[in-house]
Amino acid sequence: MSPGTASALSGKRVLVTRAIEQAGSTADLLRARGAVPVVVPTIAIDEPSDPEPMRRAIANLARYEWIAFTSANGVDRVAREIDRQGLAAKGLGAAKIAAIGPGTAKALEARGVVVDVVAKELRGEGLADALIGAFGDARPSVLVARAEIARDVLPDALRAAGCEVDVVAVYSTRLPDSATIAELTGALARGEIDAVMLTSGSTVDNLCDCLGARAADLLGHTRVASIGPITSEAASRRGVRIDVTAAEPTVAALVDALERAARAD
């Protein structure tokens, strides 16, 4: 957007459904385009139901040749556990690092971590392909740090390739409180939301769980934007129509896509 040119998003109320840890940066991107972010996180991030496997894995990072991160939330939770155990000086040790996409890579780089592999496609299949390509003839030990509930495509592909793989839940997701759900439902029902940003499959599921049986109907009266194919597939399973899809799996690209769609109105 050139200086002095009004964005097509100016004044548009855009629902940000990301967890509170990431909502701020997303809101800033929207405000820069003149949009009005409506931050109602539909995912709350918490410790896994059993944190002991995570704690043991972090205490023994030296045994892994690679660590694969499948979200920025995973990066944050691993960093917290490293700090809790007083292992900050050791960090992630000598392991090579893989990230499922640019957002996860940025979260690692912000903590001074060199990222060796970044999947071009924001899904488990893409990260598996990128990792196996980087391994060459080697079949290293890999720690997959992920959400408690997640697809098994990545670890299954790595094991099929001959790798030793440990899958560790480093965080869990849960629904927001009833007051937040009531606020969200009311805003959609009153037509106060011009667009909704969906940034992950778990965000879709939690949003639909929040809205209940009315989810598809409530979201049918606003523009729904997806960050990528996994998110869109999750929306389709819940009967939610996707109007806009990001050109690449980043929040910045999703905002760009929303702006293009608004300009075409």
Side-chain angles (χ1 to χ4, degrees):
M1 186 173 67
S2 60
T5 302
S7 167
L9 288 178
S10 292
K12 300 290 187 183
R13 292 173 58 82
V14 181
L15 181 65
V16 177
T17 58
R18 303 189 83 192
I20 196 66
E21 289 86 348
Q22 287 86 42
S25 59
T26 303
D28 288 344
L29 283 172
L30 289 167
R31 289 190 191 98
R33 307 293 180 92
V36 180
V38 180
V39 179
V40 185
T42 59
I43 290 180
I45 306 300
D46 210 341
E47 279 201 338
S49 54
D50 179 7
E52 281 308 310
M54 171 185 69
R55 292 170 181 168
R56 288 196 299 270
I58 299 304
N60 295 283
L61 286 176
R63 70 180 295 269
Y64 300 106
E65 295 167 86
W66 281 83
I67 304 173
F69 289 91
T70 62
S71 72
N73 287 320
V75 174
D76 178 64
R77 290 290 155 164
V78 168
R80 290 189 190 193
E81 182 59 24
I82 286 174
D83 289 343
R84 192 192 71 81
Q85 293 190 28
L87 302 174
K90 295 182 179 179
L92 296 174
K96 291 187 176 181
I97 306 299
I100 202 166
T104 303
K106 286 181 182 177
L108 287 158
E109 290 162 357
R111 298 178 184 278
V113 177
V114 175
V115 180
D116 299 281
V117 167
V118 180
K120 294 180 180 178
E121 186 181 9
L122 190 67
R123 53 196 297 167
E125 293 89 340
L127 185 53
D129 289 345
L131 274 168
I132 292 168
F135 294 161
D137 294 330
R139 290 297 177 260
S141 57
V142 184
L143 172 64
V144 176
R146 70 177 199 182
E148 191 164 300
I149 298 175
R151 298 164 71 234
D152 288 324
V153 170
L154 173 60
D156 285 352
L158 294 176
R159 290 184 181 120
C163 298
E164 176 189 347
V165 182
D166 284 345
V167 179
V168 176
V170 296
Y171 68 96
S172 63
T173 61
R174 56 180 171 80
L175 293 178
D177 58 41
S178 58
T180 300
I181 292 172
E183 176 188 356
L184 172 60
T185 302
L188 287 165
R190 293 188 297 270
E192 296 173 356
I193 304 298
D194 296 299
V196 175
M197 295 176 67
L198 300 177
T199 54
S200 69
S202 54
T203 298
V204 172
D205 288 333
N206 278 23
L207 175 59
C208 290
D209 289 345
C210 286
L211 299 176
R214 299 178 63 196
D217 177 60
L218 287 167
L219 293 171
H221 298 288
T222 187
R223 174 170 279 150
V224 181
S226 166
I227 201 168
I230 293 294
T231 301
S232 297
E233 288 168 14
S236 179
R237 287 196 300 271
R238 302 301 290 257
V240 175
R241 183 199 68 247
I242 295 297
D243 304 296
V244 176
T245 303
E248 59 182 43
T250 67
V251 174
L254 185 54
V255 173
D256 287 342
L258 268 176
E259 186 173 25
R260 285 193 299 273
R263 192 180 301 122
D265 287 345

